[in-house]
Amino acid sequence: PLEFCDTKDAYLKFQFDVQFSGSDYADNPAWLEKRDFLRKRGAELVFFPYTESTSSTKIKSLIEKRLL
């Protein structure tokens, strides 16, 4: 949800076990801080490899339109 758009806020609200992100953020210092925050709490941040044929923007659009 948009009101929990930051990893820390979402984790503190939902205490999930894992968060997923694209590998294009794997070397980003801000995302590495998020990973460290989660690891200190027993959760993990997993970076999925980039796949040209998959678009999270398109998937989100389909979900919003309730087509997926």
Side-chain angles (χ1 to χ4, degrees), residues 21-35 45 47:
S21 184
S23 62
D24 46 332
Y25 296 105
D27 295 320
N28 181 302
W31 280 88
L32 295 176
E33 284 183 31
K34 294 172 193 289
R35 183 189 65 189
L45 176 57
F47 294 102

Side-chain angles (χ1 to χ4, degrees), residues 3 13 23 27-28 35 38 42-43 50 55 58:
E3 65 268 21
K13 173 73 174 173
S23 62
D27 295 320
N28 181 302
R35 183 189 65 189
L38 292 174
Y50 175 77
S55 166
K58 290 179 183 177

